[in-house]
Amino acid sequence: METFQYNTESIIEIKNLKKSYGENHVLNGFNMNLVEGENLVIMGKSGSGKSVMIKCLIGLEDPDSGTICVMGKDISQLKHDELDELRTEVGFLFQGSALYDSMTVRENLEFPLRRHTKKFGVIKDTTPLVMEALENVGLANTINLMPEELSGGMKRRIALARTLILQPKIILYDEPTTGLDPITAKEIILLMISIQKKYNTSSIIITHDVDCARAISNRMILLVDGINYVEGTFEEIIALNDPKIQAFFK
Amino acid sequence: METILKIIRIFKSFLLDIGELSLFAGRFFKEVLKRPFEFKEFIRQCYNMGNRSLLLVAVTGFIIGLVFTLQSRPTLQEFGAVSWMPAMVSISIIREIGPIITALICAGRIGSGIGAELGSMKVTEQIDAMEVSGTNPFKYLVVTRILATTFMLPILVLLGDAIALYGSYLVENTKGNISFLLYFNKVAEALEFGDLIPATIKSFFFGFAIGLVGCFKGYNCKKGTAGVGLAANSAVVFTSMLLFIIDFIAVFVTDIFYDL
Ligand SMILES: Nc1ncnc2c1ncn2[C@@H]1O[C@H](COP(=O)(O)OP(=O)(O)O)[C@@H](O)[C@H]1O
Ligand SMILES: [Mg+2]
């Protein structure tokens, strides 16, 4: 990817984040920041706490200590309503797509629209918004299907559409290509890039897929032993001679 | 020694479960009064619950009424007390058999269903997805389901009772030539509000227990697909135990009121 111009302030800033489950110290002082318009890739092996970190970021998990600022707001200080409002600006693509399997594709997409009444008020006709989101991911014809009728790649796209429908400024992707075949994974990556161009979103992409990281990252952070082990562009990191780092790229 | 330790361990985990379940129930009572009320979802859950268990409850009720009457007939005949059949059958069905059988069926059908459904929603992060979509998943998923089981179970019990009595009537009609009117006249004579009211109150508690335990097990489901099966399974076992405990307590409480 082309080099990224750093000129703006961070819209996400995490300082010294710690989180343990009993004796399992998952995060031990993790730091990172996200700049506006940037695609930041966070790599780490499975079970290293990537999902825990990203869930702390959106208030789904409470950290033990450390501060998290999203768009200038310390999320631990937010009231419930304010947190809900912030969550309309920060989209989350879940690891396994997390489509509601008792609802059709249309109802899945309508759910966040109808629920976040603060941002949108009460929408009478959601069809144009639903259709726009579905067209963005190229699946307008699936509107009346149930999730079980969709392939893994299609589910991932619908989940992306459901995230996009709120027009977030930031999108958090939790392993967007995991569990997909290489060709479908490639399609999802291209889709992510085109969406980023179209809506000018900033993204954090969690992955252990090297191709995905290479294709999309402006900057990377490796999460090892609960801390931000190393940071830099893809080329910088792949050139390093640390065995812990090399293990990712074999 | 080994077995004693094992029993102690099982008992301990049961008590721990009871403790956590009470906290869960506390959260339910706190959230049930808060706005917004998810009324549409509540209706949908009521419909689901009726839809899933109606046929089963009806068939079981019918067979129980039939078999119960057939089996007690010879004994009553020996004492020349066959004319007491409607009274005996209706009192035992309304007071005890109807509620507990219906509740056990619903524990197996509804409780396990709730456990599995919420469990898989938890494991696949659908519950997290709801939370970031401006929805309180506890209210949307748990409160509505517990309310639905609480309100629907008494209705299902009454229905099961009625069908069981009808089954009993069919036996009496073929074997004893008693007419429909006469049979149900005798039933009405034998029954008092003192039979119906405690049974209905008890059914509310049964319904509450089924919803509560199903939601509790599903909502606290462990990661992985094995966790979902375990949630469904333990929901049934735990609910059944709880149902008998509630039944036991209900008998004592009702007795106190009868003595007054
Ligand atoms: N709710 C939880 N309770 C206990 N342990 C958890 C919980 N969530 C995550 N963990 C643990 O935290 C660690 C990191 O998990 P996770 O962030 O999901 O890893 P990954 O980097 O693969 O996304 C794992 O060891 C996991 O067992
Ligand atoms: Mg993960």
Side-chain angles (χ1 to χ4, degrees), chain A residues 54-89:
Chain A
I54 210 169
K55 281 183 182 172
C56 287
L57 195 56
I58 192 135
L60 283 171
E61 295 272 354
D62 290 322
D64 298 336
S65 67
T67 53
I68 301 171
C69 283
V70 180
M71 301 179 18
K73 293 171 188 141
D74 181 345
I75 68 152
S76 65
Q77 307 295 322
L78 294 182
K79 293 201 197 68
H80 197 90
D81 283 0
E82 296 168 322
L83 189 59
D84 265 351
E85 223 173 307
L86 186 68
R87 282 168 176 170
T88 63
E89 306 291 346

Side-chain angles (χ1 to χ4, degrees), chain B residues 31-225:
Chain B
E31 304 251 6
V32 71
L33 299 171
K34 269 198 262 165
R35 278 169 187 285
F37 306 114
E38 307 280 1
F39 192 69
K40 242 165 100 182
E41 186 61 17
F42 166 69
I43 297 293
R44 212 171 68 89
Q45 289 308 325
C46 286
Y47 172 79
N48 264 351
M49 183 176 168
N51 193 17
R52 268 197 236 163
S53 56
L54 200 63
L55 191 67
L56 208 58
V57 168
V59 171
T60 319
F62 185 73
I63 290 173
I64 295 247
L66 215 76
V67 170
F68 188 46
T69 311
L70 277 173
Q71 300 245 15
S72 19
R73 214 158 196 289
T75 319
L76 285 189
Q77 230 159 12
E78 222 167 284
F79 294 106
V82 180
S83 63
W84 283 95
M85 185 64 93
M88 191 195 83
V89 171
S90 58
I91 285 184
S92 25
I93 283 184
I94 301 273
R95 275 200 196 169
E96 184 55 40
I97 300 176
I100 195 77
I101 296 280
T102 311
L104 284 172
I105 289 172
C106 288
R109 186 99 179 114
I110 311 289
S112 69
I114 291 177
E117 191 186 4
L118 293 194
S120 74
M121 288 187 79
K122 169 92 179 184
V123 169
T124 58
E125 298 183 309
Q126 289 176 52
I127 293 183
D128 283 339
M130 278 195 173
E131 188 156 359
V132 298
S133 298
T135 302
N136 177 344
F138 195 90
K139 280 195 73 86
Y140 190 85
L141 299 170
V142 173
V143 171
T144 52
R145 277 173 176 73
I146 294 180
L147 287 180
T149 55
T150 311
F151 284 107
M152 287 303 283
L153 197 74
I155 297 173
L156 287 169
V157 166
L158 286 180
L159 192 103
D161 287 351
I163 292 175
L165 287 181
Y166 186 74
S168 162
Y169 153 74
L170 283 185
V171 173
E172 284 300 279
N173 180 255
T174 42
K175 294 227 165 186
N177 250 332
I178 186 171
S179 77
F180 187 82
L181 256 174
L182 185 58
Y183 183 90
F184 281 94
N185 249 331
K186 285 192 172 187
V187 167
E189 254 170 46
L191 287 178
E192 296 169 9
F193 269 115
D195 298 312
L196 211 55
I197 300 282
T200 307
I201 295 175
K202 184 163 80 176
S203 307
F204 274 111
F205 280 97
F206 285 168
F208 181 74
I210 292 168
L212 184 74
V213 177
C215 289
F216 169 70
K217 290 290 181 187
Y219 210 71
N220 294 319
C221 178
K222 295 269 180 320
K223 281 264 157 85
T225 34

Side-chain angles (χ1 to χ4, degrees), chain A residues 129-141:
Chain A
L129 286 165
V130 170
M131 284 312 290
E132 187 195 333
L134 284 177
E135 273 158 17
N136 272 328
V137 298
L139 286 176
N141 52 343

